[in-house]
Amino acid sequence: MPRPPVPILTYHQVDEPPPDGTPYRGLVVSPATFARQMGMLKALGYQGLCMTGLEPYLRGEKRGKVVGITLDDGYVNNLEHAMPVLRQLGFSATCYVVSGQLGGLNLWDRQKGVPPRPLMDAAQLKSWIAGGQEVGAHTRSHVDLLEADEVQARVEIAGCRSDLEHLLGAPVRHFCYPYGFHRPEHAAMVREAGYATATTTQRARTQPSDDLFELPRVPVLRTTSRPLLWLKVATRYEDRRRE
């Protein structure tokens, strides 16, 4: 029997949202909202898993009520606000990190008017891992792979994994395409670099037919209510438009 769809949630910042009118304000989920969402999933019998924990379910080797939890970019507020909730509930999550900006800021958002926010440094990422969470790769500089030549794309993809494994002393097995953008050759590069999965921003739960290097996800935004999150996780959510 084919495995059922598996939702992989996408978060970015877990912090108090910036003022009205701030670009991409919707990508900031408040700590209280995040805690209520995770608590709802737990109450409904779901197990929140990082990408490594989710792998056997994606491959059809295991079945169960599971949901993948991913956070893009590596913000310090993920460590401060998301990890305590995840640990309390026995959940794990994968945080996709930009290796060239450890301890820095989200500079790739500057031209869009997004307020700068601190990113985790190596010591903080080690604390994230020590707290039962996982680090994934998000390229070295958050490059738009559609604008990169082949050499740059390979360096960004493979180099990020090498950087993080050297700094953290932990395996980095999962990749996320910056902005969700990629072409088939980029998926091939990710596979060749030794990753086990790669996620996009296509909006859908994963299906048995999905390529493990082009996995869709379910976005969770500032305005995502608990009923809406439940609908996305537990019912048909197959809208594959990009965010």
Side-chain angles (χ1 to χ4, degrees), residues 45-68:
Y46 285 90
Q47 178 66 28
L49 296 174
C50 65
M51 292 303 297
T52 291
L54 202 65
E55 272 187 76
Y57 296 92
L58 295 173
R59 297 180 185 279
E61 298 162 357
K62 295 176 71 173
R63 299 172 69 89
K65 290 183 72 173
V66 295
V67 56

Side-chain angles (χ1 to χ4, degrees), residues 148-218:
D149 61 29
E150 180 180 354
V151 173
Q152 182 187 11
R154 288 186 181 278
V155 169
E156 289 277 347
I157 291 168
C160 184
R161 183 183 186 209
S162 176
D163 293 345
L164 293 173
E165 290 188 337
H166 176 73
L167 284 169
L168 304 176
V172 175
R173 306 183 66 252
H174 306 281
F175 184 82
C176 176
Y177 301 102
Y179 310 106
F181 301 155
H182 73 288
R183 290 189 288 266
E185 58 264 35
H186 298 131
M189 291 177 192
V190 172
R191 183 183 291 106
E192 291 165 9
Y195 295 100
T197 70
T199 51
T200 71
T201 54
Q202 286 186 313
R203 297 181 176 190
R205 298 178 299 170
T206 69
Q207 301 290 338
S209 58
D210 284 327
D211 188 323
L212 289 178
F213 295 92
E214 295 182 300
L215 293 170
R217 292 186 291 173
V218 176

Side-chain angles (χ1 to χ4, degrees), residues 76 79 83 97 102-103 119-131 135 164 167-168:
V76 171
L79 178 68
M83 191 175 78
V97 173
L102 299 190
L119 304 171
M120 284 188 270
D121 59 22
Q124 290 167 321
L125 288 172
K126 288 179 180 178
S127 295
W128 174 262
I129 293 170
V135 170
L164 293 173
L167 284 169
L168 304 176

Side-chain angles (χ1 to χ4, degrees), residues 73 97-102 105-109 119 137-145 148 152 155-157 159-160 163 175 178-179:
D73 303 334
V97 173
V98 181
S99 65
Q101 287 296 323
L102 299 190
L105 302 169
N106 51 323
L107 297 180
W108 56 88
D109 285 330
L119 304 171
H138 207 31
T139 71
R140 280 180 160 171
S141 65
H142 206 283
V143 66
D144 183 344
L145 292 171
Q152 182 187 11
V155 169
E156 289 277 347
I157 291 168
C160 184
D163 293 345
F175 184 82
Y179 310 106

